Structures are given as structure tokens and as C-alpha cells.
Amino acid sequence: MFKKKIKLLKRFKEITLTLSKLGFYNIYEYFKLLLGLEVEPGAKPRKIREALEKLGPSFIKLGQILSTRPDIVPVYIIDELIKLQDRVAPIDFEIIEETLRRNYGDKLDEIFSYIDPEPLASASISQVHVGYLKTGEKVAVKVRRPNLEEIIQLDSELMYMVVDFLERHFEDVKDFNLKGVIHQFKRTTLQEADFSIEAQNIKIFQENFKNYPGFKVPNCFFDISTPEVLITEFIDGTKISEVETLKEKGLDPVDIAVRLTDAYFKMVFRDGIYHADPHPGNLFVLDDGTIVAVDFGMIAFLSKTKMKYFFDYIIAVTTLDLNLAIQFYEGFNMFTPKTDFANFEADLQFFLEKYHNKRLDEINLKEMIEDIIGFIRENHLKLPNDIAYLGKAALNLEGTVRKLHPTFNPTERLRNFIGVSTKDYLKEKASEIRDAAELYFYLIFKIENLYRLLIRERTTFQIVFKDVEELQKFYKYQTGKIALAIIFVGMLASSALFYSAGKETLAVTVLVISVFVGLISFYRVFRF
């Protein structure tokens, strides 16, 4: 426990020094600017983003998560966080080799004929090297950074400390549920750092795109991959953002934009599992025009129920159906105690009227998402992770295809998926009617059982109050401070009495102890 405290203190010092060099007073002031709790004209969003990049892997990942949360972070900062570059200084190959030896032992030389010591890419979680197997294949060797789990655990603890401070000094901070964001960051980052999970993700996407032309998922060497090392097929292609190079190779950027958009909409509206980070660095184009997606560490799922909510919402926009649109927000449990329903319905009606007369090819996806962000913030809605990830992925996709062709609108392609899905939608509605009939049928027996339970059995009701544990913790902490203060005053008075009685040695001893207790008491009263 003591060692952990020392490590936390060292890490806190590192972070504070880094921030001070960038012109930020301390970590608390920095987070107030990041979350928009305070606005300082000199603190440009670019500096806030650069600070996250310099603070290391955990803070880069936290920034990426916050970039999906317009309900917490101001839009002008989110626009900058989206640009976060997951690139960090490379580590020495000797350290990479230690990880490889730990995972493969003597078999390392039997599996690989050569691994290039120069890294191909260096990110916050891993470092990638070009390698060659003994069987002759050229592969990408993705190796997890050392001590990553310990760094994530330490930084998570520090983030919780910062949030505790902010919650005590700013009344509205608790409404943000920042501890939930930190928990999400910790869970997703540790999952992304487990390459056995990424290997399974690759297997799922390979199956989904098995017979899909023009889009490819790299082969993974499952038998020689481990939780720390991922071995995949090396993709020798052109980055999708290098438009001029694509043109020189005789490839049509518009055709690539169309096929990329279709593949992505297939993931979302057909498969229910999609690549959550489709930025240009993760997309390549082979010489034959095939699009290849890499890095399947960050993916997201959409259940059939949630896909239905999204589809219903699209129908609501096109038909100006206010009640159907409200069901979307209810289904995702987005309402909070601060939501004013009269204002919400008026704003929602305005949003529907703005977009329902437009054809899909007339809708600017980025502008529409920004309108939704403003709508969520103004009505104090809670943003579910499903919508947050999908919104960020949609913005990334929109930015990528706009680079391929500035006037291309990905929303136009959505028509194909809506049209094809109408039959499935009607089937779903028929299924809902059947489920409702079954529910009412079984509900009769449930009500009868409940009646018997209430009349004939001894029934106990338990009421659980929200945040009661936190309240108990608060009062326990305050009681501790009062107890220390009483002990301090009592010992101070006892010291004076002992001195008056001529017991000087005992008086000095009690005085020293009382001073020590007093220092602890003052620390607990005035600490952040």
C-alpha cells in the first residue's frame, strides 16, 4: 500500500511538471479548462490537446473517450480532441525483444527469420515492427508496451482523485458522472491492450466480410499471437488519405469513398459490430482498389434493439413523427432530472422540421451531428456510449471520405441500407406484436402469482436509496475529522495540566503527540 502511494506521488509530480512546462498551473486547473468549468482566453484548445499527448498513453486514451462526450466537454475542445494523435516516442528494440522472448522463449528464432529493429509505428498501447516468418510471409508484429497495466491503474487512481476534488468544489460536476467516464477509460484501455481480444475481433470481421468484394480484413496468425503480441498479415498498400498517389495508380477516389461508406454502413446497420476508429491511419488501399482496415482494438457493438431504435429515429425524421422520435431517447435512457420536457419537445420538433424536408444527399452529416450535440447539451440529456462511439466514428468516416472527394456526401448512401432494410423492419414489427401477445398471456399468470404472494406469504420490501453509500462515506470522513480535533484539543489541555503538576517529561511527550495529531487534523481539514 505504501509503495503504491509513493508511485502515485511520483506520477502526480510528473504530470504537474509536464503541465507547468506547457503553461498550466496544475492538474486541477487543467481539468477545469478541459471540461469547460472555467474558460481562460489564453488556454487554446490546441494546447489542451498537446498536453494530453505529452502526458502519455492513459491521457491520450482518456482524451479519445472525452472526444465522444459532447455532454461533458465543450464542442470547441472536442473539435481539437478529435485530432489527438496516438503517436508516442518509440521504445528501444531491446525492450521489445524482452517481451518477445518472454512470450515465445526459444521458439522465437524458430518462428521468425527476421524482425526489423526500426519500428513501423509507435502508439500509446503498442509498437509495430515489420517481421518475416520462417515460412516466408511478411507480417506486422504488434507488441504491447511494458508495464502498461500498472501505468493505467496509477493514472486511473490519479484521475479519481482529480474528480473527487472537482466534485467537492463544483456542484454540477457530479452530474457529468466523470467517475463513470474514468471507469469506461480504464476498462476499454485494458481491453484494447489485450491482443487476444483483438484477435477475436479480427476473426468476427473476417467472417462478416468473407464474401464481400472490395473490402478486406487482414489475416491474423492466431496460433502464434498472444495477449502481448499480435501477428497479422503485412498490408503493403497506400494510405486512403494519399489521394494523389491513388490517382497516379489509376484508382478512382469517388469509387473508393462509395465502397468505404457502404462497408461501414454494412457494419452498423447489418452486422451490429463496427470499427469504431475509421481514421485515415487505419485504412489502406491495395493496388487493385481493395480497401483494407487495420487495428481492430477499438470496436463497438449495436444490439438488434438498438439498431431498431436508430432505424425508428430515421423513420421519425422522414415522417415528422414526434412520438416515435421520443421513443428513441426513452429507449436509450437519455433523460436526466435536469431535462425540461416542454423545452425538449419544442427543440426536438424544431430539429425534425429542419431535416425532414431534406433528401439524404442534401444532409451534411457533420452539421447534423453538431446539431445533435447542441440539442443534447441544451436539454441536459445523458449520452449513452453507443451513440457517443457511433457519433465519433461517423465524424471520422465523414472526414475520411471528404478527403477522397470534397463534395461526396456519405449520408446519400444510407438510402440503400434503409431501402433494403424495410422488409426486415416490417418483420421486426410483426415480431414485436407476437412478443407483446406472449407478454400479455404470461402476465395473467404473473399477476396471479403476485396476488398469492402478497396475500398468503410474508413479503419483505427493501428500499435502496441512491448515493447512500457515498453519503455514509462523507459523514464517516467528517466524523473522523471532528474526532481528531477533539483528541488534539484534549491532549493539548492534558499537556498543560501535566506541566502544572510538575510532570514535565510526560507533559512534553503528550505535547509532541498532540502536535502530530494536530498536523494530521489540519491536513485532513484543508487538503483538496
Side-chain angles (χ1 to χ4, degrees), residues 174-239:
K174 193 171 286 188
D175 296 334
F176 292 164
N177 188 25
L178 290 176
K179 289 181 179 176
V181 174
I182 296 169
H183 176 73
Q184 179 194 353
F185 141 76
K186 184 178 177 181
R187 175 173 51 81
T188 55
T189 307
L190 289 174
Q191 283 181 349
E192 199 173 338
D194 185 349
F195 294 155
S196 62
I197 295 176
E198 184 172 351
Q200 288 302 313
N201 294 341
I202 291 173
K203 188 178 290 186
I204 292 169
F205 278 88
Q206 282 179 335
E207 183 64 28
N208 288 345
F209 284 91
K210 183 169 56 179
N211 299 315
Y212 193 87
F215 190 87
K216 175 182 169 65
V217 178
N219 292 323
C220 178
F221 295 83
F222 300 103
D223 54 334
I224 55 173
S225 293
T226 73
E228 286 188 288
V229 184
L230 183 70
I231 312 297
T232 59
E233 169 191 4
F234 183 82
I235 300 302
D236 193 8
T238 305
K239 274 189 179 181

Side-chain angles (χ1 to χ4, degrees), residues 87-298:
R87 293 195 297 265
V88 296
I91 52 179
D92 294 336
F93 185 69
E94 288 75 14
I95 299 173
I96 294 293
E97 197 168 21
E98 285 177 14
T99 303
L100 292 170
R101 290 286 177 194
R102 184 170 63 252
N103 281 268
Y104 298 111
D106 295 335
K107 290 184 178 179
L108 181 64
D109 296 324
E110 297 175 13
I111 295 171
F112 297 97
S113 59
Y114 177 72
I115 297 177
D116 190 347
E118 288 297 317
L120 183 67
S122 182
S124 57
I125 284 179
S126 61
Q127 189 159 295
V128 182
H129 291 257
V130 178
Y132 293 87
L133 301 179
K134 286 284 188 180
T135 51
E137 292 102 327
K138 187 178 182 181
V139 294
V141 183
K142 187 176 182 179
V143 184
R144 187 167 72 194
R145 285 179 167 265
N147 305 319
L148 187 65
E149 290 185 5
E150 183 183 20
I151 293 170
I152 293 168
Q153 296 286 356
L154 281 176
D155 286 349
S156 298
E157 288 290 327
L158 287 174
M159 290 172 195
Y160 280 123
M161 287 169 56
V162 172
V163 170
D164 278 333
F165 169 82
L166 294 175
E167 286 183 348
R168 286 200 299 272
H169 291 78
F170 296 89
E171 292 182 5
D172 294 337
V173 169
K174 193 171 286 188
D175 296 334
F176 292 164
N177 188 25
L178 290 176
K179 289 181 179 176
V181 174
I182 296 169
H183 176 73
Q184 179 194 353
F185 141 76
K186 184 178 177 181
R187 175 173 51 81
T188 55
T189 307
L190 289 174
Q191 283 181 349
E192 199 173 338
D194 185 349
F195 294 155
S196 62
I197 295 176
E198 184 172 351
Q200 288 302 313
N201 294 341
I202 291 173
K203 188 178 290 186
I204 292 169
F205 278 88
Q206 282 179 335
E207 183 64 28
N208 288 345
F209 284 91
K210 183 169 56 179
N211 299 315
Y212 193 87
F215 190 87
K216 175 182 169 65
V217 178
N219 292 323
C220 178
F221 295 83
F222 300 103
D223 54 334
I224 55 173
S225 293
T226 73
E228 286 188 288
V229 184
L230 183 70
I231 312 297
T232 59
E233 169 191 4
F234 183 82
I235 300 302
D236 193 8
T238 305
K239 274 189 179 181
I240 203 165
S241 56
E242 297 174 1
V243 180
E244 293 305 317
T245 306
L246 293 173
K247 289 179 179 177
E248 288 171 6
K249 292 185 175 183
L251 300 172
D252 182 5
V254 179
D255 175 62
I256 294 170
V258 169
R259 288 189 289 110
L260 173 62
T261 303
D262 286 353
Y264 189 80
F265 285 157
K266 174 189 181 300
M267 296 180 206
V268 175
F269 292 104
R270 301 271 179 80
D271 303 333
I273 174 173
Y274 60 93
H275 194 301
D277 199 19
H279 65 76
N282 285 337
L283 296 165
F284 296 85
V285 183
L286 303 182
D287 289 347
D288 64 356
T290 301
I291 301 168
V292 186
V294 300
D295 193 356
F296 289 86
M298 189 183 293

